Amino acid sequence: MKGIITTLFTITLMSANVEAAKIIFTSNAPELYPDENGYSLAKISNYVKRMKQGDEPVLFIHGGDSLYPNPLSVYDKGAHMISIMNSMSVDALGVNRREFNDGFDQISLLSTQALFPMVLSNLLDRRTLSHVEGVRPYALLPLGDMTLAVLMTVSSEVNTTFLFNQAIVDETSEQLLRWAEQARQQGADKVLLITENSYLKSVPLSRLQSLDIIMVTQDGADKVHSERPLVMFSGGVDDELAVIDIQPNGMTGHIVHVANEPPDDQLQAVIKRYTSQLDVVLNQELVTLAAPMDSHRNILRSEESRWGNIVLDAIRHYTRADFAATVGGGIRGYRDYEAGYVLTRRDVQRELPFGGNVYVVEVNADKIKQLLEHSVSRVEDLDGRFLQVSGLHYEYDGSKPVGQRIMSIKNAQGQPLEKGRYTLAISDYMLEGGDGYNFSDVTVISDNLSSQRLVWNIVSDYLEQFDTISPAIEGRIINRTPSSDIGR
């Protein structure tokens, strides 16, 4: 085991009676299969269990964004991940955005299967004006002689990404701090908040100084950010875990790596039960790449992508629509492929983990422009709403005001769009209002497609008809932003 990289901050505690204890934290870890970078749920589980067998009391807090997406979650709606978390000895789960992939009621159902509390402090179900059934605003957990309160907040973006305005989200600090104070009155010695970066844009850290620990979920490198309160960023499909050591004279936050940790045999057996039937399908070879390609996040959210072109061509081929468009944020492989690489169904499902269905809608040129303007409205933030396309070519200037960034739109033959109606293939996510897209003014002309093939099956079937395929940049999306750093 690589062990602890570094100790960054120490915080003096008020009580001299606090005994030594540990808190282990991760988030954004939905992947069932181990990764070559050292990621492995079984290795994480072994580390947690090994720490819990030591002399110090230990809590394993999970920041969520992990019930989805993976090849099984599309079918069992996250139930297998609850079973896995039970086996990993998770002590509390923060209900994050992706947990709401199938709405409120599925969360309530999963909460009955969890052996740990599920926590979300600042979101109400608009139907009942109360917290999601089965989810607590905070949880009190014993940690040796101490009691730890765990709270969780999400940003209002959950309404545009998963809940489509079905939730009431409080993006202030007042009620959160009232929950924290109530927890202290009930015996909490320390208060830990799980949150996301988007929430901290509305509620800066300066308003949260009364909290002891803030864990920010992210899909990226773990790090310690500040000391008062102790703020750490942690999560992602990697071998990193955030660890907080509590001592009588202070707290230290550091990062550990588990790449060299032996896997937990018990959890491996649990995961194997889920993956054994999938492997027969996922290992099926599809096509050989005649040229290299990548699925990098920054490219998918700011410019034309070779892999994005293949995905959208497959969707347009399947639907026979004039055009196809889907959000770059739905493609999540984030990897490089060399020429000669043989793509498998596993690769396709890793790249398109949400599955999803396809619809065809009828639009005119004005509607297409409106959609593309929305696509680039937050391109400087590498927002997931950015559209990859097929059958369309467009240019944009990210330095222009929002709503005025699209410079030209043409069809695949390089001709401007004419008046009249076009067919556009989109994902069910976009049709339902995901990432703020609005299709309330269009006609859906292919409801039957929504009950048929998932997107990853559409793409796999498309690739299977070729022996080789040459991913290419074709000028579909051109960034005209002057001296643009977007996507670089």
Side-chain angles (χ1 to χ4, degrees):
M1 178 175 158
K2 297 177 185 176
I4 297 170
I5 292 181
T6 183
T7 297
L8 296 178
F9 292 112
T10 302
I11 301 175
T12 301
L13 300 178
M14 298 302 294
S15 172
N17 298 318
V18 173
E19 69 172 325
K22 288 185 187 296
I23 300 171
I24 304 170
F25 182 90
T26 193
S27 70
N28 294 75
E31 179 58 54
L32 291 176
Y33 293 93
D35 193 275
E36 59 188 14
N37 67 6
Y39 168 86
S40 165
L41 290 175
K43 291 180 179 180
I44 293 172
S45 179
N46 194 74
Y47 175 80
V48 170
K49 291 181 179 180
R50 186 164 61 83
M51 292 299 102
K52 288 193 173 189
Q53 290 169 359
D55 296 331
E56 297 177 350
V58 174
L59 289 174
F60 180 29
I61 310 299
H62 202 301
D65 263 353
S66 297
L67 301 190
Y68 302 83
N70 65 45
L72 267 181
S73 58
V74 171
Y75 301 109
D76 75 357
K77 304 184 185 301
H80 68 285
M81 287 303 297
I82 293 294
S83 176
I84 288 170
M85 289 181 183
N86 285 338
S87 296
M88 293 177 74
S89 300
V90 168
D91 291 294
L93 172 68
V95 178
N96 218 321
R97 283 196 230 176
R98 291 206 295 258
E99 274 66 59
F100 287 108
N101 191 73
D102 281 293
F104 295 118
D105 295 339
Q106 182 61 18
I107 287 290
S108 298
L109 177 62
L110 293 176
S111 72
T112 67
Q113 303 170 24
L115 301 180
F116 45 81
M118 299 171 69
V119 178
L120 184 53
S121 310
N122 72 323
L123 183 145
L124 303 179
D125 183 340
R126 194 179 292 275
R127 300 171 302 178
T128 62
L129 301 182
S130 61
H131 289 274
V132 180
E133 185 175 353
V135 177
R136 310 178 189 181
Y138 60 90
L140 296 175
L141 305 176
L143 183 59
D145 289 341
M146 295 177 287
T147 298
L148 178 74
V150 178
L151 296 88
M152 171 80 198
T153 55
V154 295
S155 76
S156 61
E157 291 181 8
V158 69
N159 265 325
T160 60
T161 52
F162 291 103
L163 287 175
F164 313 125
N165 295 317
Q166 299 176 58
I168 300 172
V169 181
D170 181 2
E171 282 192 311
T172 67
S173 59
E174 285 75 16
Q175 180 57 56
L176 172 69
L177 295 179
R178 284 195 288 270
W179 288 128
E181 179 58 29
Q182 181 173 312
R184 291 190 193 277
Q185 291 174 2
Q186 293 177 343
D189 299 286
K190 298 293 168 209
V191 176
L192 182 152
L193 170 66
I194 309 167
T195 190
E196 53 177 352
N197 244 330
S198 296
Y199 175 82
L200 295 178
K201 292 179 181 178
S202 299
V203 181
L205 290 173
S206 60
R207 299 184 194 170
L208 304 175
Q209 294 298 305
S210 63
L211 306 181
D212 300 291
I213 306 165
I214 299 175
M215 303 302 300
V216 185
T217 64
Q218 67 170 14
D219 189 359
D222 291 11
K223 62 181 180 180
V224 178
H225 175 72
S226 68
E227 61 176 340
R228 291 185 187 273
L230 177 61
V231 179
M232 300 182 72
F233 289 73
S234 179
V237 178
D238 52 38
D239 75 328
E240 297 177 326
L241 295 173
V243 176
I244 298 165
D245 280 310
I246 301 176
Q247 301 290 338
N249 62 341
M251 285 191 295
T252 53
H254 54 265
I255 311 304
V256 300
H257 287 260
V258 297
N260 294 332
E261 188 81 17
D264 176 359
D265 291 337
Q266 179 182 358
L267 184 62
Q268 284 207 128
V270 172
I271 294 174
K272 185 64 176 178
R273 290 202 299 269
Y274 290 119
T275 59
S276 57
Q277 296 180 5
L278 280 174
D279 286 342
V280 175
V281 175
L282 296 181
N283 291 337
Q284 180 182 349
E285 295 183 350
L286 298 173
V287 67
T288 300
L289 297 179
M293 72 175 188
D294 65 67
S295 57
H296 294 168
R297 181 179 185 273
N298 61 322
I299 292 176
L300 286 161
R301 298 177 180 220
S302 67
E303 59 187 272
E304 181 181 357
S305 161
R306 288 175 172 84
W307 174 236
N309 286 352
I310 291 174
V311 171
L312 272 298
D313 286 350
I315 292 173
R316 188 158 70 103
H317 177 269
Y318 174 71
T319 59
R320 302 185 185 278
D322 296 318
F323 311 125
T326 193
V327 294
I331 304 174
R332 291 174 174 258
Y334 306 157
R335 58 180 297 190
D336 293 290
Y337 299 87
E338 298 178 351
Y341 185 89
V342 180
L343 281 175
T344 66
R345 287 185 179 268
R346 185 187 306 278
D347 295 316
V348 175
Q349 288 197 298
R350 180 174 290 181
E351 293 285 352
L352 302 166
F354 291 104
N357 305 113
V358 173
Y359 286 81
V360 176
V361 296
E362 193 174 71
V363 295
N364 58 25
D366 290 340
K367 183 63 178 180
I368 291 174
K369 184 177 187 302
Q370 178 193 99
L371 296 173
L372 292 177
E373 287 286 3
H374 185 71
S375 164
V376 299
S377 62
R378 291 180 56 181
V379 66
E380 61 270 28
D381 299 325
L382 297 180
D383 190 83
R385 71 185 63 187
F386 186 86
L387 291 177
Q388 296 292 318
V389 296
S390 176
L392 285 171
H393 289 194
Y394 70 92
E395 301 180 14
Y396 76 91
D397 181 348
S399 69
K400 301 290 186 183
V402 171
Q404 302 174 33
R405 294 181 169 184
I406 297 299
M407 300 175 64
S408 71
I409 307 172
K410 298 178 181 178
N411 61 26
Q413 291 72 44
Q415 301 299 316
L417 300 189
E418 301 175 351
K419 293 182 179 180
R421 313 297 291 181
Y422 296 93
T423 53
L424 173 67
I426 60 171
S427 64
D428 56 348
Y429 174 78
M430 292 174 63
L431 184 65
E432 292 169 359
D435 281 326
Y437 280 96
N438 179 13
F439 288 92
S440 62
D441 56 346
V442 305
T443 300
V444 179
I445 61 176
S446 63
D447 285 329
N448 61 310
L449 289 175
S450 65
S451 62
Q452 297 180 18
R453 307 292 281 167
L454 295 172
V455 173
W456 61 42
N457 290 325
I458 291 171
V459 176
S460 294
D461 293 348
Y462 174 78
L463 291 172
E464 198 171 23
Q465 66 183 313
F466 305 106
D467 292 325
T468 62
I469 194 167
S470 298
I473 297 297
E474 303 172 356
R476 300 185 188 188
I477 306 171
I478 297 177
N479 180 3
R480 296 295 190 191
T481 309
S483 302
S484 175
D485 289 330
I486 293 174
R488 301 298 188 264

